[in-house]
Amino acid sequence: MNNNASGSTAPAPARRRLARRRARGSSLDPHETRRALLLVAPAVAVLALVIGYPVARAVYMSFQADQHLDENGVFVEGGFAGLDNYKHWLLQRCGDVACPPGSTGSSFWEVVWITLFFTVVTVTIELVLGFWFAMIMNGKFRGRGLVRAAVLIPWAIPTAVTAKLWYFIFSYDGIINNLFNSQVLWFGDKWAARSAIIVSDVWKTTPFMALLILAGLQLIADDVYEAAKVDGASPWQRFWSITVPLVKPAVVVALLFRTLDVLRMYDLPQIMTGGGAGDGNDTTTLSILVINEIRNGFNSAAALSTLTFLLVFGVAFLFIKFLGASATGAEGKAKR
Amino acid sequence: MRHLRTASSLTALALVALPLAACGGGDGGTADDAFKAHLKDRGPITYVQGKVNDNATHGIIDKWNKLHPEEKVTLKEQTDEADQQHDDLVRNFDAKNADYDVVSVDLVWTAEFAAKGYLQPLKGDLAVDTDGLLDSAVKGAQYNGVQYASPTTSDGGMLYYRTDLVKTPPTTWAELFAACDIARQAKIDCYAGQFNKYEGLTVNASEAINGAGGSIVAEDGKTPTVDSPEAAEGLQVLVDGFKNGDIPKSAITYTEEEGRAAFQAGKLLFLRNWPYVYGLASGEASSKVKGKFSVAPLPGLDGVGASTLGGHNTAISAFSDNKATAIDFVNFLASEEIQKDYMEKGSLAPIRADVYQDPALVKKYPYLPTLLTSIENAVARPITPFYQAVTKAIQDNSYAALKGDKTSEEAVKDMAAAIKAASGQ
């Protein structure tokens, strides 16, 4: 709340303008507020139309029952369903019975668990590797530009191509099995398939993590390190007391981006396993389930996507609340 | 502070958007109105199908356009991806667009589109000329006893076998698995189909179930019939094959292409696959089975099995403005001349029995008589408006059975329960 003090002392126009500039737009006079609203209005209207409408419609649909067949075999609207669609997922109820195996409702909690598992494991590995790569790239050596460009290549390849690439590498007659002279059914067994997906995702997105962290490292001025050296800090102390805290804002943003990405992961497991392996659904992520359900044409898909939205939103909220992540970097700057 | 402001503007957005959403829920005129409109109208039309990757389609449309300069057909190609084609059609039909007049629909979409009122029932003035068409293909385009589409191209599974190792092809599963000793002596795998958890598994599981006298969904498209001893017995054949190694462990990851690769590399004695394999296995330079294989109808429990019917149907949009032209074009695609074009130039299986007996074609495609037997005995996958859910029920449960996680009896029981839940009963 910075209803600024300097502006309220009835100053000359020039001073007032200066004060306004200092306050960065948060203390416009009524006249200007109206003009600002007018200028923003079209953007707000467009946003309401392209973002608000679909979201609101999805929530509305999630309370509608599915279409069902009438006696002529023609679909008719199902009407209001209350919380049935949410019960379908959260309590795994199909009508009055527990959802039988082979119906989408039966796999909800398992799928949530799989998605969270992928998220925690891949993001952790990517953070460690990404930090390491960033430290290397931050050093001064010949061909640094080339290395930085080369590291980016996996990230520049479209995910669908990456997925197909690793699909061939992990296939039964593929490179991995030939290299290790093994006969692992990479896409048939539960943990083998999950590892294959994790390896591919780590390969693909570690560069992204590394680059964001590198950007953070570059912001740390060299003289901070020199001062620490003069004070006799060991390399280990310099790392923990200078590098880690100063790079934290960049790391948190990178973590947030990647976490949200994996929570909505679709193409990699879809192309590599189709969500299969193990008991048949052991690599199904939430997004795969949502897409399958939408294809089914069921309104429970709207409930599922609402739940997915809430999960992703919740995770993003926790990140911002507890780790102080800020996608724009403005808050990080303010703290420093 | 910033979050508070974001939250309040989101609420504002929602307030703006909610009334809009409420408007979207209502539904205007009924499907019946659309069915009665434009029945006698003629004019240019648009034909929609997936990406053309054969050499026949463009020529066929040119032929029509030369004959009907006043009622030209414009081809609209969709993507290569079946799921995306489906979604594109649904979006256009849902908006009651008149942009799509004639559409090519995958067999398994016909019931869904019909139940949603998207497809014009083909009766009265718009009746399909089914004279000379294969019965199974015509039935595959019906829903609830009404013809909603006309078959255009067909497809059927066949058993590929090595003629250098097996003299007479097996006609039953027992005979097939008895021949596995030959494979063991030759140190190759015996039998494979498509058992990865995808649409191919539905095809293979349905064949096992139908071939043993079972069925999956009743004619009403929603009552499951799969919980039967016959269905379990059929599925058990595949389960046993996996258990005793006659079907290699790796086949649980096979789609069409992995199986073809294994067969062409000479590592497989029997393979269930579609006709496209024939040309590649006898033509590709890398194929080690050139001149050493042939095809037979799929085996069943006691006699020729039931292949799963493949192919595409052509239907008329209920929202078309020129339905009289549309039905002429649909019948044109099913005519003998065009069916020969599809076969000769596009290697797409015809839907007329007489084309299969054309001596010139049989000389070029020796598998045609076998394919005819296969399609004549073929059964369409479950004809149901809930196809996506039904195929998932089949895939999940038969996959679990093949992996030994549940018995065949449990699998068909769970399939029936999942189909029931999906159709909202």
Side-chain angles (χ1 to χ4, degrees), chain A residues 106-229:
Chain A
S106 64
S107 49
F108 177 72
W109 287 107
E110 192 195 349
V111 166
V112 169
W113 187 84
I114 292 168
T115 309
L116 291 177
F117 167 79
F118 276 137
T119 309
V120 171
V121 174
T122 54
V123 173
T124 308
I125 299 176
E126 282 162 21
L127 174 67
V128 174
L129 287 180
F131 211 112
W132 183 39
F133 286 0
M135 294 290 282
I136 293 173
M137 288 191 291
N138 196 37
K140 291 186 181 68
F141 55 90
R142 269 170 67 94
R144 189 171 67 165
L146 200 71
V147 170
R148 284 184 185 175
V151 162
L152 256 188
I153 290 175
W155 189 63
I157 298 175
T159 313
V161 178
T162 307
K164 212 66 199 173
L165 200 74
W166 286 94
Y167 172 80
F168 289 125
I169 293 175
F170 279 112
S171 71
Y172 191 65
D173 295 323
I175 297 171
I176 299 268
N177 271 350
N178 277 326
L179 207 64
F180 297 103
N181 205 10
S182 57
Q183 290 188 317
V184 180
L185 273 180
W186 286 102
F187 301 124
D189 296 328
K190 183 171 171 177
W191 290 106
R194 287 176 182 172
S195 330
I197 289 171
I198 289 170
V199 167
S200 319
D201 194 57
V202 166
W203 182 82
K204 185 193 148 48
T205 47
T206 301
F208 175 72
M209 198 71 130
L211 223 69
L212 283 189
I213 296 174
L214 176 64
L217 288 176
Q218 303 253 294
L219 286 178
I220 307 175
D222 282 342
D223 41 11
V224 183
Y225 286 108
E226 274 160 29
K229 254 191 217 163

Side-chain angles (χ1 to χ4, degrees), chain A residues 73 75 167 188 280-281 295-296, chain B residues 115 143 197 258 388 396 403:
Chain A
F75 277 118
Y167 172 80
N281 292 305
R295 288 240 158 80
N296 275 332
Chain B
Y143 167 63
K197 210 202 80 173
E258 285 87 356
Q388 297 293 336
D396 276 21
K403 293 209 82 170

Side-chain angles (χ1 to χ4, degrees), chain A residues 44 47-49 52-53 56-57 60 69 72-75 94 100-104 167 172 185 187-189 277-281 295-296 298 320 330-331, chain B residues 2-3 13 17 20-21 24-25 83 87 115-116 143-144 197 222 249-250 252-253 258 385-386 388-389 392-393 396-397 399 403 406 414 417-418 421-422:
Chain A
V44 171
L47 278 178
L49 222 62
Y53 175 70
R57 176 132 179 91
Y60 166 80
L69 293 180
N72 299 322
V74 177
F75 277 118
C94 287
S103 59
T104 45
Y167 172 80
Y172 191 65
L185 273 180
F187 301 124
D189 296 328
D279 72 5
N281 292 305
R295 288 240 158 80
N296 275 332
F298 294 155
I320 291 168
E331 278 181 8
Chain B
R2 180 207 303 258
H3 306 311
L13 277 184
L20 281 174
D83 284 338
D87 296 352
K116 284 182 174 163
Y143 167 63
N144 243 337
K197 210 202 80 173
K222 56 181 183 179
K249 201 172 70 132
S250 56
I252 199 79
T253 63
E258 285 87 356
F386 306 103
Q388 297 293 336
K392 180 176 165 58
D396 276 21
N397 290 299
Y399 191 81
K403 293 209 82 170
K406 60 172 82 165
D414 289 343

